Amino acid sequence: MTSLSRASAPAKAILVGEHFVVAGCPAIAVAVDVRARAEARLLAEEGVVEVSSRELGSGTFGAQADPRSPLYPVYAAARAVLARAHLNLGLEVRVESDIPPGAGMGSSAAVAVATVAATASLLGLRLSLEEVSSLAYEAEVVVHGRPSGIDNTVSTYGGAIYYRRGEGFVRLEADLEPVRIVLADSGIPRSTGEMVSKVLALKSRHQGVVDRIYDAAARLVEAARDAIERGDYETLGELMNINHGLLSALGVSNAKLEELVYAARAAGALGAKITGAGGGGMVLALAWKEDAEEVARALAKVSGRVILAPISSEGVRGEG
Amino acid sequence: MTSLSRASAPAKAILVGEHFVVAGCPAIAVAVDVRARAEARLLAEEGVVEVSSRELGSGTFGAQADPRSPLYPVYAAARAVLARAHLNLGLEVRVESDIPPGAGMGSSAAVAVATVAATASLLGLRLSLEEVSSLAYEAEVVVHGRPSGIDNTVSTYGGAIYYRRGEGFVRLEADLEPVRIVLADSGIPRSTGEMVSKVLALKSRHQGVVDRIYDAAARLVEAARDAIERGDYETLGELMNINHGLLSALGVSNAKLEELVYAARAAGALGAKITGAGGGGMVLALAWKEDAEEVARALAKVSGRVILAPISSEGVRGEG
C-alpha cells in the first residue's frame, strides 16, 4: 500500500454504428484523449469514503450512503474495489474530469474507471484491465441501470473498440496517430431516450425500408473496421459521411447538426457526422493531424464548445 | 384547321427515387402546376417555322435549321407534328414558360409538349396523349441525347407518375388536391453529370454498403406509391424525409440544401428533401394545402426563389 495513488482514464466517442447497435448491428467507439482523473488516499476512519469532485463538490459516504447523490457513482466505484479486496478501510477519493458531462462522451464511466484504478493501486490490488472495466461497470450499473458496457470498456482499454451485442468487445489493432478527433457541441441538449424511441417508432412504421438501412449500417461498420485496421482513414472518413446520411434518414439530425457537419467537411475533415443519439449533442469529425486545427477553427465559428484530441491508444493509466 | 391554337403543359419534380433510378430502382415524379404555354398559327410561306419565345427571343427555321439554336427544340417539336401529319405548311409558334430553366423541372419538355399539342390542334390532327408525349420525346432526343422520358411523360399526363427503367410509366390513381408542392432554389447551380459520376464512384468504392442503400430506396419508392394511392400524405412525407437522408448518405447534399430542408420541416412541411441530382438545385417540400403558405414564407427567408404550386392532375391541355 502507498499513501496516495493516482489514475486517469479517457473519454469515448462513437465513431460509427450508433442507433443501429440497439438492433444488434455492430458499432465502433474510440477513446478520446480527454481524461478523468482520480486520486485515492487512506483515511484513518474505517468504513468511510470521502469523495470530492472538482466539478460536483464533496460528500462523505458510510453505511447509509445515498444513491441519489451525484457523487455516489465515485463512492460505488471505490466501494467495489474495497469489496473485491475484502477490506473495509477508510478512503479519500478526489476526482476531476475534463470530459464534458451529458455529452455522450462517457464522462461518468471514465471517472469510475479512474477511481477503480487509483483505489486498487492504493490498496496494492493488482487488477487486470478486464477486472478494472468490470468493477467500473458494476458502479455504472448502480447509477445507469444496464448500460451497454461500451463506455467503461473504451475508457479502460483505449484505442478503437468494435462492439456487437452478444459478441462482446474487440480492440482493433490500429495506428491511430495520423488522425485526430474534433468534437463540436450543437448546444442542443441530448435526449437519448427520446431519440431511441423516435427511431424505433419510425422503424415500426417503415419496417421494410428501415431494415435495409440497418443492413447498410451493419455492412458499413464492418467496412469501417477493415479501414481502421488498414490505416485507411480516407475510406473511414467516407464511411462516416455515409453513416451520417443514414442517421439523417432515421430522423435524428437537425439544422444545427447539419451546419456543424458541413462546416467540418468544408474545412478539410476526412469525415464528419453526428455522434451518439442525435437530435442535439455533438458532431464528430475525423481529420488528419495536420488539418485538425483548421477543422477545429471552422467549427469554433459555429459551436460554443470544440474539443480537439488524439485518439488515445492508452486507456486507463496510473499517474505518477 | 383553326387560325390559332394554344396549349399548356406543366413542370415536373421528382418526388422520390432520384439517383437510385439510374441503377434500375423505381422513382415517382409529379406534375407541378407551373406551366409552359405554346400558341401556333399558320403562316403563308410553306416549310418555314417562325419561333418566338418570351424568354429566348425569336428565329426562323427552314431547310437549314441550326440545331445549336436555343429555339431549335421548339422548332423540332413543331416539325415532328408536321411530319406526323405529312404536311409542309408554314407555322408561327410562340412559347413562354413560367418554369425556371435548368432547375430540373423539365422546362424544355414542357415547352415541347405544349408545342406539340398546340401545333397538332392547329392542324386538326387528333393525337392521343401517348402520341403527344412520344412526339415531344422525339424533339427532346434531338437536343438532350437519350433522356429517360420522365419529363415529357409527366408533362403530358400530369398527376403522379411511377417509373422504373424497362417497365415504363404508371400514372398513379390519387387525390392530389389536399397537398401542395413547395420548391426552393439553393442558388447553387446543378451539375447533374458531376453528381451522377460522384455517386457511381462512391458506389464502386463501397459496393456492399451502397447496394443496401439502393435496396432501401427501392423499397421506399414502393411504399411511397402505396401511400400516394391511399392518400396517406403523412406517410409519404416521412418517406421523403428518409429519402433525403439516403441522398445525404450518397454525398449529394450540402450545407445550403440542408438549411432549406430543415427550414421547410420546421415550418410544418409533411416532408422535405433534395429533388433531382443534388449538389445544388432545388429542395422540394410537401405540405398540406393549409400549411403551404407558411412553408413557402419560411423558405423565402433562406432561398432566392420559392415556388408554391398544386400537383397538377391535368397534364397538357388546350387553352381557349
Side-chain angles (χ1 to χ4, degrees), chain A residues 199-287:
Chain A
V199 168
L200 293 177
L202 191 82
K203 197 169 191 289
S204 78
R205 284 197 298 280
H206 306 287
Q207 191 82 48
V209 177
V210 176
D211 278 354
R212 274 147 192 87
I213 297 176
Y214 279 64
D215 290 348
R219 282 271 181 155
L220 186 149
V221 174
E222 299 300 343
R225 175 180 176 164
D226 289 349
I228 291 168
E229 289 175 334
R230 289 197 315 271
D232 180 354
Y233 293 112
E234 270 122 355
T235 294
L236 179 62
E238 246 180 17
L239 291 166
M240 289 169 60
N241 291 345
I242 297 174
N243 193 162
H244 176 74
L246 300 183
L247 289 170
S248 160
L250 294 190
V252 302
S253 190
N254 61 39
K256 185 67 197 179
L257 292 167
E258 294 296 339
E259 184 186 18
L260 296 173
V261 160
Y262 284 97
R265 292 185 194 171
L270 291 159
K273 62 183 278 293
I274 292 168
T275 182
M282 292 190 129
V283 155
L284 182 156
L286 182 78

Side-chain angles (χ1 to χ4, degrees), chain A residues 4-90:
Chain A
L4 169 68
S5 282
R6 292 195 184 94
S8 76
K12 81 105 194 351
I14 299 183
L15 202 61
V16 284
E18 58 272 89
H19 276 294
F20 307 103
V21 79
V22 175
C25 295
I28 298 170
V30 292
V32 180
D33 203 9
V34 177
R35 290 188 169 251
R37 286 172 294 276
E39 61 180 52
R41 281 186 183 78
L42 287 176
L43 274 189
E45 200 180 345
E46 277 205 358
V48 166
V49 179
E50 286 185 12
V51 176
S52 62
S53 152
R54 188 179 66 184
E55 289 76 25
L56 300 169
S58 58
T60 302
F61 296 85
Q64 286 89 39
D66 179 357
R68 289 163 307 178
S69 158
L71 296 168
Y72 186 86
V74 180
Y75 164 71
R79 186 76 251 163
V81 179
L82 286 166
R84 172 76 172 65
H86 307 291
L87 291 170
N88 193 28
L89 299 170

Side-chain angles (χ1 to χ4, degrees), chain B residues 167-183:
Chain B
E167 290 182 19
F169 303 95
V170 181
R171 191 174 188 282
L172 304 182
E173 289 300 320
D175 174 14
L176 301 161
E177 178 49 27
V179 288
R180 294 289 178 270
I181 296 291
V182 187
L183 291 153

